[in-house]
Every structure is written in C-alpha cells, then in structure tokens.
Amino acid sequence: MEPAAATMLSRPRVLPILLAVFALLAAAVTVGARGGAERAPTLVFILAGQSNMGGRGGATVGNRWDGVVPPECAPSPRTLRLSPSLRWEEAREPLHAGVDAGNVVGVGPGMPFAHALLRSPACPRGAVVGLVPCAQGGTPIANWSRGTEMYERMVTRARVAGAGTGRRIAALLWFQGEADTLRREDALAYAGRMEAFVRDVRRDLALPNLLVIQVGIATAQWQGNKQGKWLDLVRKQQRAVRVANLKYVDAMGLPLANDITHLTTQAQVRLGKMLADAYIATL
C-alpha cells in the first residue's frame, strides 16, 4: 500500500482518538481549576492581637523582612490563608502581609502552629487548616472591644472563614497585651476587658463554647524612648481572666529580637508548637 493511501485510510481512526484525548485534557484542566477554586479548610483558626501575633520574626532590622522561612513555616497544600480580599489561598510567610497594615511583617506563630497540628496523630485525618490573620501591631485591648474597627474586621473575616459546609472555627489564638503595659489603668483593666472581648466574640460568631488560647506576653511596648513598665501587672491580669474554655500559653523566656520587644523567628516557631500542643490537648 502506498504511504499516502495508508495515511488517508488511517485519518478516520486517528481523528476521533485525538479529539478524545483533547477532551480528557480539557476536563482535567477544568477539574483542576475547580478544585483550586473550591478548596476550603475544615479547621479554621482566627489569629488576632498585636505585632507578635502579626509576626516580626526576621523583620526587626533595616525596616525589612529578611525572607528566611524555616521548614516549620513552609507552604503546604493543607494550610490555607484567608487573604485580605476574603479569598482562600495557599498560606505562606509573611502570613499577615496585607493585613497588619502599615507594618513590616515577618514570621509569626500561625504557620508553625498549622504544621505542628497537621503532624499530630490527634489531628483529624485529611484535615485542611485555614488560618485567618487579623492582628494589628501596636493595638491595646481597648481597640478590640465590640464596635471598634479591629473587632468588626476580625468578626467579618471570621464569619466568611467559617461559612460553608464542612468548615468549623476551631479556636481563636490571641497574642496581645504589650500595648497595655504603658499605662497602669489599662494594665489594671486588662482581665475585665479580655473577659468582655471573649464573651462578645462568642456571641457574635454564635459559638458560645469557642476555644480561646491566650498567649501570656513576654515584653512591654515602647513609646518614644520609654518602655511600658506595667508588664508584670498585665501578665498577672492575663492569668486572672476567668472565662470557660480558655487556655493559657506563656511566651515568657522565648528568645527576643534585638529590639527587646518582638520574638525572633525561632521563638515564633517554638510558640507555634506550644499553641498547637495547647489545642491538641483539647481534642
């Protein structure tokens, strides 16, 4: 048979096969696109507070982040972040980029928390962790009371994050209080304000038993050339908070950066693991 004739006779067979292959490829691309768009977490964690929750690991020198990402903070398909535009995306450092407005952000406790949780045998099989960054540097707890900009932004983001079949807001991770070391009256009022904050969040999210994990602060905030002198009083008030289903994790003793205010990158990694241990203990 002549080559030309053979080619002519084989075309009716080849064309349907090629069309089928193209159809399968198109379907695979569509499914992949849908999978990416529809991917959502099953366990949602709200991250709120001030700069040490926002993350300053590697971001305290030269007004920039050094870009160092430890293995415990690496991106993972099983760890998502609610973006500033309220869309789920793969989480990566700096987790609070675009959220902790006006500040240079670096490594915080959120990513190492997620990694430690997902590695734990106690973590539900196949879980996907959704992190909801809400922290804002320099904010006293009064700026988080119901009706304030910080509070309403956090609640809005939490409601979006918790909406959807199969999703559950598992806990609020709270690291704040340094700004309340500047004035004695704020330090004295801390426990009462924290209790009101927890009650309001639980009511507004319709989660009366929402787990709250509070970090005991390790440093005081600077104002001008003076550092807040009521650190011990705020810490005492934090330990005096009396609400059900609240856990306490102490940051005191973790390594500090050269600004004597913020945790180092490795300290944030350790804190993330401590927060994960506190959560896992409740499972």
Side-chain angles (χ1 to χ4, degrees), residues 50 141 176-191 214-220 228-241 248:
Q50 54 180 117
I141 196 169
Q176 186 280 334
E178 294 93 341
D180 294 277
T181 66
L182 295 169
R183 300 195 312 165
R184 186 171 185 271
E185 52 267 42
D186 288 332
L188 284 170
Y190 196 91
Q214 175 184 226
V215 180
I217 62 172
T219 61
K229 60 181 181 179
W230 303 107
L231 171 62
D232 291 340
L233 184 53
V234 171
R235 284 176 51 80
K236 181 179 179 180
Q237 286 283 305
Q238 288 182 315
R239 292 190 296 271
V241 173
Y248 180 83

PDB file of all heavy atoms in Angstrom, residues 50 141 176-191 214-220 228-241 248:
ATOM      1  N   GLN A  50      -1.728  41.760  68.550  1.00  0.00           N
ATOM      2  CA  GLN A  50      -0.884  42.828  68.008  1.00  0.00           C
ATOM      3  C   GLN A  50       0.362  42.266  67.366  1.00  0.00           C
ATOM      4  O   GLN A  50       0.323  41.177  66.778  1.00  0.00           O
ATOM      5  CB  GLN A  50      -0.610  43.901  69.058  1.00  0.00           C
ATOM      6  CG  GLN A  50      -0.039  43.463  70.390  1.00  0.00           C
ATOM      7  CD  GLN A  50       0.167  44.660  71.327  1.00  0.00           C
ATOM      8  OE1 GLN A  50      -0.462  44.718  72.363  1.00  0.00           O
ATOM      9  NE2 GLN A  50       1.042  45.598  70.988  1.00  0.00           N
ATOM     10  N   ILE A 141      -5.884  46.472  74.034  1.00  0.00           N
ATOM     11  CA  ILE A 141      -7.090  45.653  74.010  1.00  0.00           C
ATOM     12  C   ILE A 141      -8.349  46.497  73.870  1.00  0.00           C
ATOM     13  O   ILE A 141      -9.366  46.026  73.334  1.00  0.00           O
ATOM     14  CB  ILE A 141      -7.162  44.733  75.247  1.00  0.00           C
ATOM     15  CG1 ILE A 141      -8.193  43.618  74.999  1.00  0.00           C
ATOM     16  CG2 ILE A 141      -7.447  45.527  76.511  1.00  0.00           C
ATOM     17  CD1 ILE A 141      -8.157  42.503  76.019  1.00  0.00           C
ATOM     18  N   GLN A 176      -1.701  39.378  72.606  1.00  0.00           N
ATOM     19  CA  GLN A 176      -1.850  40.830  72.706  1.00  0.00           C
ATOM     20  C   GLN A 176      -1.682  41.235  74.158  1.00  0.00           C
ATOM     21  O   GLN A 176      -1.896  40.434  75.063  1.00  0.00           O
ATOM     22  CB  GLN A 176      -3.241  41.247  72.176  1.00  0.00           C
ATOM     23  CG  GLN A 176      -3.509  42.736  72.068  1.00  0.00           C
ATOM     24  CD  GLN A 176      -3.888  43.383  73.400  1.00  0.00           C
ATOM     25  OE1 GLN A 176      -4.421  42.700  74.284  1.00  0.00           O
ATOM     26  NE2 GLN A 176      -3.591  44.656  73.553  1.00  0.00           N
ATOM     27  N   GLY A 177      -1.306  42.479  74.379  1.00  0.00           N
ATOM     28  CA  GLY A 177      -1.197  42.987  75.743  1.00  0.00           C
ATOM     29  C   GLY A 177      -0.006  43.900  75.950  1.00  0.00           C
ATOM     30  O   GLY A 177       0.058  44.663  76.920  1.00  0.00           O
ATOM     31  N   GLU A 178       0.968  43.855  75.031  1.00  0.00           N
ATOM     32  CA  GLU A 178       2.155  44.701  75.184  1.00  0.00           C
ATOM     33  C   GLU A 178       1.782  46.184  75.248  1.00  0.00           C
ATOM     34  O   GLU A 178       2.357  46.951  76.034  1.00  0.00           O
ATOM     35  CB  GLU A 178       3.123  44.457  74.020  1.00  0.00           C
ATOM     36  CG  GLU A 178       3.725  43.050  73.989  1.00  0.00           C
ATOM     37  CD  GLU A 178       2.926  42.090  73.125  1.00  0.00           C
ATOM     38  OE1 GLU A 178       1.733  42.378  72.839  1.00  0.00           O
ATOM     39  OE2 GLU A 178       3.484  41.047  72.739  1.00  0.00           O
ATOM     40  N   ALA A 179       0.803  46.586  74.428  1.00  0.00           N
ATOM     41  CA  ALA A 179       0.399  47.996  74.405  1.00  0.00           C
ATOM     42  C   ALA A 179      -0.267  48.425  75.702  1.00  0.00           C
ATOM     43  O   ALA A 179      -0.317  49.619  76.015  1.00  0.00           O
ATOM     44  CB  ALA A 179      -0.538  48.260  73.221  1.00  0.00           C
ATOM     45  N   ASP A 180      -0.752  47.470  76.472  1.00  0.00           N
ATOM     46  CA  ASP A 180      -1.423  47.790  77.732  1.00  0.00           C
ATOM     47  C   ASP A 180      -0.455  47.895  78.901  1.00  0.00           C
ATOM     48  O   ASP A 180      -0.869  48.116  80.043  1.00  0.00           O
ATOM     49  CB  ASP A 180      -2.500  46.744  78.013  1.00  0.00           C
ATOM     50  CG  ASP A 180      -3.622  46.803  76.995  1.00  0.00           C
ATOM     51  OD1 ASP A 180      -4.534  47.637  77.148  1.00  0.00           O
ATOM     52  OD2 ASP A 180      -3.573  46.033  76.017  1.00  0.00           O
ATOM     53  N   THR A 181       0.854  47.752  78.621  1.00  0.00           N
ATOM     54  CA  THR A 181       1.864  47.936  79.672  1.00  0.00           C
ATOM     55  C   THR A 181       2.262  49.394  79.842  1.00  0.00           C
ATOM     56  O   THR A 181       3.037  49.723  80.741  1.00  0.00           O
ATOM     57  CB  THR A 181       3.127  47.111  79.359  1.00  0.00           C
ATOM     58  OG1 THR A 181       3.754  47.641  78.178  1.00  0.00           O
ATOM     59  CG2 THR A 181       2.806  45.638  79.165  1.00  0.00           C
ATOM     60  N   LEU A 182       1.756  50.266  78.980  1.00  0.00           N
ATOM     61  CA  LEU A 182       2.177  51.667  79.006  1.00  0.00           C
ATOM     62  C   LEU A 182       1.497  52.471  80.106  1.00  0.00           C
ATOM     63  O   LEU A 182       2.092  53.403  80.654  1.00  0.00           O
ATOM     64  CB  LEU A 182       1.884  52.322  77.647  1.00  0.00           C
ATOM     65  CG  LEU A 182       2.689  51.768  76.462  1.00  0.00           C
ATOM     66  CD1 LEU A 182       2.133  52.295  75.147  1.00  0.00           C
ATOM     67  CD2 LEU A 182       4.167  52.135  76.598  1.00  0.00           C
ATOM     68  N   ARG A 183       0.259  52.118  80.436  1.00  0.00           N
ATOM     69  CA  ARG A 183      -0.487  52.868  81.448  1.00  0.00           C
ATOM     70  C   ARG A 183      -1.037  51.909  82.497  1.00  0.00           C
ATOM     71  O   ARG A 183      -1.585  50.859  82.162  1.00  0.00           O
ATOM     72  CB  ARG A 183      -1.643  53.631  80.812  1.00  0.00           C
ATOM     73  CG  ARG A 183      -1.229  54.637  79.748  1.00  0.00           C
ATOM     74  CD  ARG A 183      -2.351  55.610  79.426  1.00  0.00           C
ATOM     75  NE  ARG A 183      -3.619  54.930  79.197  1.00  0.00           N
ATOM     76  CZ  ARG A 183      -4.803  55.552  79.183  1.00  0.00           C
ATOM     77  NH1 ARG A 183      -4.875  56.851  79.414  1.00  0.00           N
ATOM     78  NH2 ARG A 183      -5.911  54.876  78.941  1.00  0.00           N
ATOM     79  N   ARG A 184      -0.901  52.289  83.748  1.00  0.00           N
ATOM     80  CA  ARG A 184      -1.333  51.426  84.845  1.00  0.00           C
ATOM     81  C   ARG A 184      -2.825  51.146  84.775  1.00  0.00           C
ATOM     82  O   ARG A 184      -3.270  50.018  85.027  1.00  0.00           O
ATOM     83  CB  ARG A 184      -0.979  52.060  86.196  1.00  0.00           C
ATOM     84  CG  ARG A 184      -1.277  51.157  87.397  1.00  0.00           C
ATOM     85  CD  ARG A 184      -0.717  51.739  88.685  1.00  0.00           C
ATOM     86  NE  ARG A 184      -0.898  50.824  89.811  1.00  0.00           N
ATOM     87  CZ  ARG A 184      -1.976  50.798  90.583  1.00  0.00           C
ATOM     88  NH1 ARG A 184      -2.979  51.665  90.373  1.00  0.00           N
ATOM     89  NH2 ARG A 184      -2.067  49.923  91.595  1.00  0.00           N
ATOM     90  N   GLU A 185      -3.624  52.156  84.408  1.00  0.00           N
ATOM     91  CA  GLU A 185      -5.066  51.963  84.363  1.00  0.00           C
ATOM     92  C   GLU A 185      -5.469  50.923  83.305  1.00  0.00           C
ATOM     93  O   GLU A 185      -6.412  50.156  83.495  1.00  0.00           O
ATOM     94  CB  GLU A 185      -5.807  53.283  84.130  1.00  0.00           C
ATOM     95  CG  GLU A 185      -5.338  54.099  82.944  1.00  0.00           C
ATOM     96  CD  GLU A 185      -4.284  55.140  83.308  1.00  0.00           C
ATOM     97  OE1 GLU A 185      -3.379  54.809  84.106  1.00  0.00           O
ATOM     98  OE2 GLU A 185      -4.392  56.271  82.784  1.00  0.00           O
ATOM     99  N   ASP A 186      -4.727  50.906  82.190  1.00  0.00           N
ATOM    100  CA  ASP A 186      -5.002  49.902  81.160  1.00  0.00           C
ATOM    101  C   ASP A 186      -4.592  48.511  81.638  1.00  0.00           C
ATOM    102  O   ASP A 186      -5.297  47.525  81.388  1.00  0.00           O
ATOM    103  CB  ASP A 186      -4.257  50.238  79.867  1.00  0.00           C
ATOM    104  CG  ASP A 186      -4.860  51.431  79.143  1.00  0.00           C
ATOM    105  OD1 ASP A 186      -6.072  51.671  79.297  1.00  0.00           O
ATOM    106  OD2 ASP A 186      -4.114  52.127  78.434  1.00  0.00           O
ATOM    107  N   ALA A 187      -3.453  48.439  82.316  1.00  0.00           N
ATOM    108  CA  ALA A 187      -2.997  47.157  82.844  1.00  0.00           C
ATOM    109  C   ALA A 187      -4.001  46.595  83.847  1.00  0.00           C
ATOM    110  O   ALA A 187      -4.343  45.401  83.808  1.00  0.00           O
ATOM    111  CB  ALA A 187      -1.623  47.312  83.488  1.00  0.00           C
ATOM    112  N   LEU A 188      -4.503  47.444  84.732  1.00  0.00           N
ATOM    113  CA  LEU A 188      -5.461  47.002  85.741  1.00  0.00           C
ATOM    114  C   LEU A 188      -6.783  46.544  85.125  1.00  0.00           C
ATOM    115  O   LEU A 188      -7.457  45.664  85.667  1.00  0.00           O
ATOM    116  CB  LEU A 188      -5.723  48.124  86.751  1.00  0.00           C
ATOM    117  CG  LEU A 188      -4.625  48.379  87.786  1.00  0.00           C
ATOM    118  CD1 LEU A 188      -4.909  49.661  88.553  1.00  0.00           C
ATOM    119  CD2 LEU A 188      -4.521  47.187  88.745  1.00  0.00           C
ATOM    120  N   ALA A 189      -7.143  47.141  84.005  1.00  0.00           N
ATOM    121  CA  ALA A 189      -8.431  46.826  83.375  1.00  0.00           C
ATOM    122  C   ALA A 189      -8.352  45.621  82.448  1.00  0.00           C
ATOM    123  O   ALA A 189      -9.367  45.203  81.877  1.00  0.00           O
ATOM    124  CB  ALA A 189      -8.932  48.042  82.595  1.00  0.00           C
ATOM    125  N   TYR A 190      -7.168  45.033  82.301  1.00  0.00           N
ATOM    126  CA  TYR A 190      -6.988  44.032  81.252  1.00  0.00           C
ATOM    127  C   TYR A 190      -7.891  42.809  81.411  1.00  0.00           C
ATOM    128  O   TYR A 190      -8.528  42.377  80.436  1.00  0.00           O
ATOM    129  CB  TYR A 190      -5.523  43.578  81.169  1.00  0.00           C
ATOM    130  CG  TYR A 190      -5.245  42.850  79.871  1.00  0.00           C
ATOM    131  CD1 TYR A 190      -4.796  43.536  78.755  1.00  0.00           C
ATOM    132  CD2 TYR A 190      -5.486  41.482  79.750  1.00  0.00           C
ATOM    133  CE1 TYR A 190      -4.578  42.886  77.551  1.00  0.00           C
ATOM    134  CE2 TYR A 190      -5.274  40.817  78.551  1.00  0.00           C
ATOM    135  CZ  TYR A 190      -4.817  41.528  77.458  1.00  0.00           C
ATOM    136  OH  TYR A 190      -4.636  40.881  76.263  1.00  0.00           O
ATOM    137  N   ALA A 191      -7.951  42.228  82.574  1.00  0.00           N
ATOM    138  CA  ALA A 191      -8.724  40.999  82.751  1.00  0.00           C
ATOM    139  C   ALA A 191     -10.191  41.224  82.400  1.00  0.00           C
ATOM    140  O   ALA A 191     -10.798  40.420  81.678  1.00  0.00           O
ATOM    141  CB  ALA A 191      -8.587  40.483  84.174  1.00  0.00           C
ATOM    142  N   GLN A 214      -4.925  31.974  74.844  1.00  0.00           N
ATOM    143  CA  GLN A 214      -4.310  33.278  75.119  1.00  0.00           C
ATOM    144  C   GLN A 214      -2.819  33.119  75.391  1.00  0.00           C
ATOM    145  O   GLN A 214      -2.416  32.244  76.165  1.00  0.00           O
ATOM    146  CB  GLN A 214      -4.986  33.920  76.334  1.00  0.00           C
ATOM    147  CG  GLN A 214      -4.354  35.220  76.775  1.00  0.00           C
ATOM    148  CD  GLN A 214      -4.979  35.779  78.051  1.00  0.00           C
ATOM    149  OE1 GLN A 214      -5.276  36.950  78.140  1.00  0.00           O
ATOM    150  NE2 GLN A 214      -5.174  34.919  79.041  1.00  0.00           N
ATOM    151  N   VAL A 215      -2.012  33.946  74.761  1.00  0.00           N
ATOM    152  CA  VAL A 215      -0.566  33.925  74.987  1.00  0.00           C
ATOM    153  C   VAL A 215      -0.216  34.955  76.053  1.00  0.00           C
ATOM    154  O   VAL A 215      -0.568  36.136  75.934  1.00  0.00           O
ATOM    155  CB  VAL A 215       0.211  34.231  73.696  1.00  0.00           C
ATOM    156  CG1 VAL A 215       1.719  34.204  73.971  1.00  0.00           C
ATOM    157  CG2 VAL A 215      -0.146  33.220  72.603  1.00  0.00           C
ATOM    158  N   GLY A 216       0.471  34.504  77.083  1.00  0.00           N
ATOM    159  CA  GLY A 216       0.973  35.434  78.083  1.00  0.00           C
ATOM    160  C   GLY A 216       2.140  36.219  77.506  1.00  0.00           C
ATOM    161  O   GLY A 216       3.095  35.626  76.991  1.00  0.00           O
ATOM    162  N   ILE A 217       2.068  37.533  77.556  1.00  0.00           N
ATOM    163  CA  ILE A 217       3.088  38.368  76.912  1.00  0.00           C
ATOM    164  C   ILE A 217       4.433  38.244  77.622  1.00  0.00           C
ATOM    165  O   ILE A 217       4.505  37.920  78.811  1.00  0.00           O
ATOM    166  CB  ILE A 217       2.650  39.841  76.828  1.00  0.00           C
ATOM    167  CG1 ILE A 217       2.450  40.441  78.223  1.00  0.00           C
ATOM    168  CG2 ILE A 217       1.389  39.970  75.988  1.00  0.00           C
ATOM    169  CD1 ILE A 217       2.200  41.959  78.200  1.00  0.00           C
ATOM    170  N   ALA A 218       5.483  38.527  76.868  1.00  0.00           N
ATOM    171  CA  ALA A 218       6.839  38.421  77.407  1.00  0.00           C
ATOM    172  C   ALA A 218       7.555  39.756  77.433  1.00  0.00           C
ATOM    173  O   ALA A 218       8.627  39.881  78.029  1.00  0.00           O
ATOM    174  CB  ALA A 218       7.649  37.429  76.578  1.00  0.00           C
ATOM    175  N   THR A 219       6.991  40.760  76.764  1.00  0.00           N
ATOM    176  CA  THR A 219       7.666  42.053  76.650  1.00  0.00           C
ATOM    177  C   THR A 219       6.667  43.189  76.802  1.00  0.00           C
ATOM    178  O   THR A 219       5.448  42.994  76.696  1.00  0.00           O
ATOM    179  CB  THR A 219       8.349  42.201  75.275  1.00  0.00           C
ATOM    180  OG1 THR A 219       7.344  42.131  74.246  1.00  0.00           O
ATOM    181  CG2 THR A 219       9.381  41.106  75.046  1.00  0.00           C
ATOM    182  N   ALA A 220       7.210  44.369  77.028  1.00  0.00           N
ATOM    183  CA  ALA A 220       6.396  45.581  77.096  1.00  0.00           C
ATOM    184  C   ALA A 220       6.609  46.398  75.823  1.00  0.00           C
ATOM    185  O   ALA A 220       7.605  46.246  75.126  1.00  0.00           O
ATOM    186  CB  ALA A 220       6.774  46.408  78.324  1.00  0.00           C
ATOM    187  N   GLY A 228       7.047  50.408  78.329  1.00  0.00           N
ATOM    188  CA  GLY A 228       5.996  50.253  79.322  1.00  0.00           C
ATOM    189  C   GLY A 228       6.495  49.555  80.576  1.00  0.00           C
ATOM    190  O   GLY A 228       7.220  48.556  80.482  1.00  0.00           O
ATOM    191  N   LYS A 229       6.101  50.044  81.734  1.00  0.00           N
ATOM    192  CA  LYS A 229       6.619  49.491  82.989  1.00  0.00           C
ATOM    193  C   LYS A 229       5.618  48.600  83.725  1.00  0.00           C
ATOM    194  O   LYS A 229       5.872  48.193  84.851  1.00  0.00           O
ATOM    195  CB  LYS A 229       7.077  50.612  83.910  1.00  0.00           C
ATOM    196  CG  LYS A 229       5.991  51.603  84.310  1.00  0.00           C
ATOM    197  CD  LYS A 229       6.588  52.695  85.209  1.00  0.00           C
ATOM    198  CE  LYS A 229       5.540  53.697  85.662  1.00  0.00           C
ATOM    199  NZ  LYS A 229       6.116  54.729  86.558  1.00  0.00           N
ATOM    200  N   TRP A 230       4.493  48.281  83.069  1.00  0.00           N
ATOM    201  CA  TRP A 230       3.470  47.505  83.745  1.00  0.00           C
ATOM    202  C   TRP A 230       3.344  46.091  83.174  1.00  0.00           C
ATOM    203  O   TRP A 230       2.273  45.499  83.180  1.00  0.00           O
ATOM    204  CB  TRP A 230       2.130  48.239  83.686  1.00  0.00           C
ATOM    205  CG  TRP A 230       2.209  49.616  84.268  1.00  0.00           C
ATOM    206  CD1 TRP A 230       2.193  50.794  83.604  1.00  0.00           C
ATOM    207  CD2 TRP A 230       2.363  49.927  85.651  1.00  0.00           C
ATOM    208  NE1 TRP A 230       2.317  51.848  84.479  1.00  0.00           N
ATOM    209  CE2 TRP A 230       2.426  51.342  85.748  1.00  0.00           C
ATOM    210  CE3 TRP A 230       2.458  49.169  86.827  1.00  0.00           C
ATOM    211  CZ2 TRP A 230       2.571  52.000  86.960  1.00  0.00           C
ATOM    212  CZ3 TRP A 230       2.603  49.833  88.037  1.00  0.00           C
ATOM    213  CH2 TRP A 230       2.655  51.227  88.095  1.00  0.00           C
ATOM    214  N   LEU A 231       4.472  45.546  82.708  1.00  0.00           N
ATOM    215  CA  LEU A 231       4.470  44.205  82.133  1.00  0.00           C
ATOM    216  C   LEU A 231       3.968  43.166  83.138  1.00  0.00           C
ATOM    217  O   LEU A 231       3.095  42.346  82.826  1.00  0.00           O
ATOM    218  CB  LEU A 231       5.876  43.832  81.654  1.00  0.00           C
ATOM    219  CG  LEU A 231       6.103  42.380  81.228  1.00  0.00           C
ATOM    220  CD1 LEU A 231       5.230  42.005  80.043  1.00  0.00           C
ATOM    221  CD2 LEU A 231       7.584  42.149  80.899  1.00  0.00           C
ATOM    222  N   ASP A 232       4.525  43.164  84.319  1.00  0.00           N
ATOM    223  CA  ASP A 232       4.144  42.164  85.315  1.00  0.00           C
ATOM    224  C   ASP A 232       2.674  42.272  85.683  1.00  0.00           C
ATOM    225  O   ASP A 232       2.000  41.255  85.912  1.00  0.00           O
ATOM    226  CB  ASP A 232       5.008  42.296  86.571  1.00  0.00           C
ATOM    227  CG  ASP A 232       6.452  41.886  86.330  1.00  0.00           C
ATOM    228  OD1 ASP A 232       6.699  41.169  85.341  1.00  0.00           O
ATOM    229  OD2 ASP A 232       7.332  42.298  87.124  1.00  0.00           O
ATOM    230  N   LEU A 233       2.156  43.497  85.723  1.00  0.00           N
ATOM    231  CA  LEU A 233       0.747  43.696  86.069  1.00  0.00           C
ATOM    232  C   LEU A 233      -0.163  43.154  84.963  1.00  0.00           C
ATOM    233  O   LEU A 233      -1.178  42.503  85.248  1.00  0.00           O
ATOM    234  CB  LEU A 233       0.472  45.170  86.322  1.00  0.00           C
ATOM    235  CG  LEU A 233      -0.955  45.529  86.782  1.00  0.00           C
ATOM    236  CD1 LEU A 233      -1.375  44.697  87.991  1.00  0.00           C
ATOM    237  CD2 LEU A 233      -1.047  47.030  87.092  1.00  0.00           C
ATOM    238  N   VAL A 234       0.192  43.391  83.712  1.00  0.00           N
ATOM    239  CA  VAL A 234      -0.613  42.844  82.615  1.00  0.00           C
ATOM    240  C   VAL A 234      -0.580  41.320  82.641  1.00  0.00           C
ATOM    241  O   VAL A 234      -1.608  40.655  82.475  1.00  0.00           O
ATOM    242  CB  VAL A 234      -0.125  43.381  81.248  1.00  0.00           C
ATOM    243  CG1 VAL A 234      -0.823  42.632  80.107  1.00  0.00           C
ATOM    244  CG2 VAL A 234      -0.387  44.875  81.119  1.00  0.00           C
ATOM    245  N   ARG A 235       0.593  40.757  82.873  1.00  0.00           N
ATOM    246  CA  ARG A 235       0.704  39.296  82.927  1.00  0.00           C
ATOM    247  C   ARG A 235      -0.156  38.733  84.077  1.00  0.00           C
ATOM    248  O   ARG A 235      -0.806  37.689  83.922  1.00  0.00           O
ATOM    249  CB  ARG A 235       2.166  38.879  83.109  1.00  0.00           C
ATOM    250  CG  ARG A 235       2.980  39.000  81.822  1.00  0.00           C
ATOM    251  CD  ARG A 235       4.455  38.667  82.059  1.00  0.00           C
ATOM    252  NE  ARG A 235       4.652  37.416  82.749  1.00  0.00           N
ATOM    253  CZ  ARG A 235       4.601  36.210  82.164  1.00  0.00           C
ATOM    254  NH1 ARG A 235       4.339  36.115  80.869  1.00  0.00           N
ATOM    255  NH2 ARG A 235       4.811  35.106  82.859  1.00  0.00           N
ATOM    256  N   LYS A 236      -0.163  39.414  85.208  1.00  0.00           N
ATOM    257  CA  LYS A 236      -0.996  38.985  86.331  1.00  0.00           C
ATOM    258  C   LYS A 236      -2.468  39.025  85.946  1.00  0.00           C
ATOM    259  O   LYS A 236      -3.241  38.113  86.262  1.00  0.00           O
ATOM    260  CB  LYS A 236      -0.732  39.882  87.537  1.00  0.00           C
ATOM    261  CG  LYS A 236      -1.539  39.513  88.779  1.00  0.00           C
ATOM    262  CD  LYS A 236      -1.208  40.426  89.942  1.00  0.00           C
ATOM    263  CE  LYS A 236      -2.048  40.072  91.179  1.00  0.00           C
ATOM    264  NZ  LYS A 236      -1.726  40.969  92.326  1.00  0.00           N
ATOM    265  N   GLN A 237      -2.849  40.083  85.242  1.00  0.00           N
ATOM    266  CA  GLN A 237      -4.234  40.222  84.791  1.00  0.00           C
ATOM    267  C   GLN A 237      -4.594  39.141  83.760  1.00  0.00           C
ATOM    268  O   GLN A 237      -5.709  38.621  83.760  1.00  0.00           O
ATOM    269  CB  GLN A 237      -4.439  41.605  84.178  1.00  0.00           C
ATOM    270  CG  GLN A 237      -4.489  42.729  85.193  1.00  0.00           C
ATOM    271  CD  GLN A 237      -5.840  42.787  85.904  1.00  0.00           C
ATOM    272  OE1 GLN A 237      -6.882  42.867  85.280  1.00  0.00           O
ATOM    273  NE2 GLN A 237      -5.810  42.723  87.230  1.00  0.00           N
ATOM    274  N   GLN A 238      -3.658  38.814  82.889  1.00  0.00           N
ATOM    275  CA  GLN A 238      -3.933  37.762  81.906  1.00  0.00           C
ATOM    276  C   GLN A 238      -4.217  36.433  82.586  1.00  0.00           C
ATOM    277  O   GLN A 238      -5.115  35.697  82.180  1.00  0.00           O
ATOM    278  CB  GLN A 238      -2.744  37.615  80.948  1.00  0.00           C
ATOM    279  CG  GLN A 238      -2.606  38.769  79.958  1.00  0.00           C
ATOM    280  CD  GLN A 238      -1.457  38.557  78.996  1.00  0.00           C
ATOM    281  OE1 GLN A 238      -0.358  38.163  79.394  1.00  0.00           O
ATOM    282  NE2 GLN A 238      -1.685  38.835  77.724  1.00  0.00           N
ATOM    283  N   ARG A 239      -3.455  36.132  83.608  1.00  0.00           N
ATOM    284  CA  ARG A 239      -3.671  34.873  84.322  1.00  0.00           C
ATOM    285  C   ARG A 239      -4.947  34.906  85.160  1.00  0.00           C
ATOM    286  O   ARG A 239      -5.446  33.847  85.580  1.00  0.00           O
ATOM    287  CB  ARG A 239      -2.463  34.554  85.206  1.00  0.00           C
ATOM    288  CG  ARG A 239      -1.196  34.209  84.419  1.00  0.00           C
ATOM    289  CD  ARG A 239      -0.102  33.656  85.320  1.00  0.00           C
ATOM    290  NE  ARG A 239       0.349  34.648  86.284  1.00  0.00           N
ATOM    291  CZ  ARG A 239       1.336  35.531  86.073  1.00  0.00           C
ATOM    292  NH1 ARG A 239       1.959  35.538  84.901  1.00  0.00           N
ATOM    293  NH2 ARG A 239       1.684  36.384  87.003  1.00  0.00           N
ATOM    294  N   ALA A 240      -5.470  36.108  85.396  1.00  0.00           N
ATOM    295  CA  ALA A 240      -6.691  36.250  86.208  1.00  0.00           C
ATOM    296  C   ALA A 240      -7.965  36.185  85.383  1.00  0.00           C
ATOM    297  O   ALA A 240      -9.065  36.222  85.945  1.00  0.00           O
ATOM    298  CB  ALA A 240      -6.643  37.577  86.983  1.00  0.00           C
ATOM    299  N   VAL A 241      -7.841  36.096  84.061  1.00  0.00           N
ATOM    300  CA  VAL A 241      -9.036  36.038  83.203  1.00  0.00           C
ATOM    301  C   VAL A 241      -9.825  34.772  83.547  1.00  0.00           C
ATOM    302  O   VAL A 241      -9.283  33.667  83.574  1.00  0.00           O
ATOM    303  CB  VAL A 241      -8.633  36.038  81.708  1.00  0.00           C
ATOM    304  CG1 VAL A 241      -9.854  35.810  80.826  1.00  0.00           C
ATOM    305  CG2 VAL A 241      -7.961  37.351  81.352  1.00  0.00           C
ATOM    306  N   TYR A 248      -4.107  28.977  78.453  1.00  0.00           N
ATOM    307  CA  TYR A 248      -3.049  29.979  78.614  1.00  0.00           C
ATOM    308  C   TYR A 248      -1.712  29.370  78.215  1.00  0.00           C
ATOM    309  O   TYR A 248      -1.332  28.296  78.705  1.00  0.00           O
ATOM    310  CB  TYR A 248      -3.008  30.444  80.070  1.00  0.00           C
ATOM    311  CG  TYR A 248      -1.966  31.493  80.390  1.00  0.00           C
ATOM    312  CD1 TYR A 248      -2.215  32.845  80.154  1.00  0.00           C
ATOM    313  CD2 TYR A 248      -0.747  31.127  80.955  1.00  0.00           C
ATOM    314  CE1 TYR A 248      -1.264  33.804  80.482  1.00  0.00           C
ATOM    315  CE2 TYR A 248       0.206  32.081  81.281  1.00  0.00           C
ATOM    316  CZ  TYR A 248      -0.063  33.412  81.035  1.00  0.00           C
ATOM    317  OH  TYR A 248       0.872  34.363  81.356  1.00  0.00           O
TER     318      TYR A 248
END
